[in-house]
Amino acid sequence: NTPPPKPTRAQLWSLAIGNAVPFIGFGFADNLIMILAGEAIDRQLGAILGLSTLAAAGLGNMLSDVVGIGVGDIIERYSSAILGKRAHAALTIEQMELNICRAVKSWASVLGISIGCLLGMIPLLFIGQRKPLYFT
């Protein structure tokens, strides 16, 4: 058994982008839905049912996760359409099992979901409720 050839820098970049892009979509959709649903639940049902803000956030998170199951497939399809099949096509199965490819895949996923989650927090800029500052 000869070891597989080391992936090139271009192959690793392609792998990283191919893994990061869908996770940007997942993080964005998850946070966006969670924030909007949590806010709506807090405003509409919080007072009626006596829910705390954290309970409303938890329900918003549950709704976001449920919607995410369905949206996940759509995000995968759009990511594949945007990127094509190039993310994994350039690498062999043996190369994908190399530690460097596993690390690139993991770190790209972490970076992608982090960027997506931050972008999904954009509604917070428009939600008018601000807590007062108690220090100067």
Side-chain angles (χ1 to χ4, degrees), residues 6-134:
K6 184 179 175 187
T8 65
R9 185 176 295 231
Q11 287 174 315
L12 293 175
W13 270 108
S14 181
L15 180 64
I17 291 168
N19 280 281
V21 168
F23 278 99
I24 291 171
F26 294 139
F28 175 77
D30 188 53
N31 254 10
L32 181 79
I33 294 167
M34 181 190 65
I35 289 168
L36 294 176
E39 176 71 8
I41 291 167
D42 192 32
R43 285 181 187 242
Q44 301 300 319
L45 297 177
I48 296 169
L49 300 176
L51 295 176
S52 69
T53 300
L54 285 176
L59 289 172
N61 188 44
M62 180 189 69
L63 180 64
S64 175
D65 290 344
V66 169
V67 171
I69 292 170
V71 172
D73 186 49
I74 295 168
I75 291 170
E76 283 281 346
R77 279 187 279 160
Y78 275 108
S79 295
S80 293
I82 291 168
L83 298 173
K85 298 283 183 184
R86 66 185 183 142
H88 303 293
L91 296 168
T92 65
I93 294 170
E94 292 81 16
Q95 284 176 311
M96 288 294 293
E97 292 176 3
L98 293 172
N99 286 338
I100 185 69
C101 289
R102 290 177 187 219
V104 165
K105 230 177 127 176
S106 293
W107 282 107
S109 299
V110 167
L111 183 64
I113 203 152
S114 298
I115 291 169
C117 285
L118 289 172
L119 291 172
M121 292 173 65
I122 288 173
L124 294 175
L125 297 173
F126 304 104
I127 294 174
Q129 224 175 349
R130 299 269 190 236
K131 302 242 185 249
L133 294 176
Y134 293 106

